Amino acid sequence: MTKIEISDNTFGSSHQKTRLHNKNKILAAAAQEFKQYGFNGASISRIAETANLPRTNIHYYFKNKLALYGAVLTNIIDLWNQAFANIDENDDPAQAIANYIDAKIEYSRINPTASIIFASEILHGAPYLSQYLQTDFKYWIAEKAKVIEAWQAQGKIDKVSAYHLLFTIWGATQHYANFAVEIEAAFERPLSVEDFDEAKKTIKHIILKGCGLSF
C-alpha cells in the first residue's frame, strides 16, 4: 500500500503520534480508493475497512470525503514540489535539473498512485484543484521559471522556454507511473528498478543535452 506521510513536528506525545499514525493510514487507504474509483465512486466505508479503523475515526480526522480527497491531493503536491523547491540562480543548472528528474522518476517508481490520482483530477478538468491552479501553482511555476531564465541570462543554459522545459520533465517522468501498463506491454514484463534507472539516465541525457548542458 502506498504510504503518504504528513510532515508535522507538533506530534510529540504518544497520543499525538498515534493520531499521526492513524491519519497516515487513512490517507494511504484513501489514495488507493481514489486511484481505483475516483472521487465520485470512492467510499468512506471501504477506506475505513482498508485502513482497519472504524468509520467514525475517518470523520474524526476529516470532515467529509471532499476534505479527505483534498488532503490526499495536498500531500501529492507537497511531495512533488519539494524536489525543486530550493533552487536559485546560483545553482548549477545541470545538477539541479538532473536531481529533479531523478526525484520525479523515483516518485513514479515508489508512489505511482500519487501520479495517477493527480492525472485523473487534471483529466477531469481539475474540479477540486481549480483554486490551487489559479493561485499557489501559478506562483510556484512562475518562481521556477524565473530561476531558469536567470540561468539563461547568465549563459549557463540555452534559451528554451522555461515553462515548456518543466512541462517536458513532468510528462517524461510521470509517464512511468501513469502509463506503466503500456510500458510493461512493450517490455513484455513488469518494470524493474533497472528500468527506472535507465529512464533517469535517458531522460537526463535528452533534457540536459537539449538545454546545452553537459551530461
Side-chain angles (χ1 to χ4, degrees):
M1 179 179 292
T2 303
K3 185 177 182 182
I4 303 175
E5 296 287 349
I6 300 175
S7 178
D8 191 336
N9 294 326
T10 63
F11 285 86
S13 70
S14 176
H15 175 66
Q16 289 171 328
K17 288 178 180 178
T18 298
R19 290 182 60 198
L20 177 59
H21 176 70
N22 287 342
K23 203 168 185 179
N24 282 330
K25 284 177 65 177
I26 293 167
L27 286 168
Q32 292 297 325
E33 181 75 7
F34 291 129
K35 172 191 173 184
Q36 184 169 355
Y37 298 102
F39 176 77
N40 290 331
S43 162
I44 292 293
S45 295
R46 279 197 302 264
I47 292 170
E49 183 178 353
T50 301
N52 196 28
L53 291 168
R55 180 176 175 137
T56 53
N57 278 40
I58 309 296
H59 292 295
Y60 173 78
Y61 294 103
F62 302 98
K63 181 179 179 181
N64 50 37
K65 186 168 71 170
L66 180 59
L68 179 52
Y69 184 58
V72 170
L73 288 172
T74 297
N75 274 282
I76 292 168
I77 292 164
D78 288 347
L79 175 69
W80 286 353
N81 285 354
Q82 71 184 16
F84 213 45
N86 298 318
I87 63 163
D88 65 48
E89 62 185 60
N90 297 314
D91 289 335
D92 172 13
Q95 191 63 58
I97 293 170
N99 289 345
Y100 188 44
I101 291 169
D102 283 345
K104 289 286 288 178
I105 283 286
E106 197 63 13
Y107 294 152
S108 288
R109 183 181 74 82
I110 65 175
N111 195 359
T113 295
S115 186
I116 292 167
I117 292 170
F118 188 86
S120 178
E121 169 69 11
I122 297 299
L123 287 170
H124 285 86
Y128 304 102
L129 278 181
S130 56
Q131 183 177 356
Y132 162 76
L133 292 175
Q134 294 301 318
T135 54
D136 292 353
F137 169 74
K138 289 179 71 174
Y139 174 79
W140 185 92
I141 194 170
E143 286 296 303
K144 305 315 163 193
K146 286 180 183 177
V147 172
I148 294 169
E149 289 161 0
W151 289 337
Q152 293 169 346
Q154 296 172 46
K156 292 181 177 180
I157 184 173
D158 286 354
K159 290 191 175 182
V160 298
S161 165
Y163 282 85
H164 287 290
L165 172 58
L166 290 171
F167 300 155
T168 301
I169 292 171
W170 298 344
T173 56
Q174 288 166 228
H175 185 87
Y176 290 86
N178 300 343
F179 295 93
V181 172
E182 179 184 52
I183 298 170
E184 290 175 346
F187 287 166
E188 297 184 330
R189 57 172 173 77
L191 280 165
S192 66
V193 173
E194 290 74 22
D195 291 324
F196 284 97
D197 288 341
E198 188 64 28
K200 292 176 185 177
K201 181 179 177 181
T202 301
I203 294 169
K204 285 187 290 187
H205 183 94
I206 294 168
I207 296 291
L208 295 178
K209 289 285 188 179
C211 292
L213 297 167
S214 298
F215 173 67

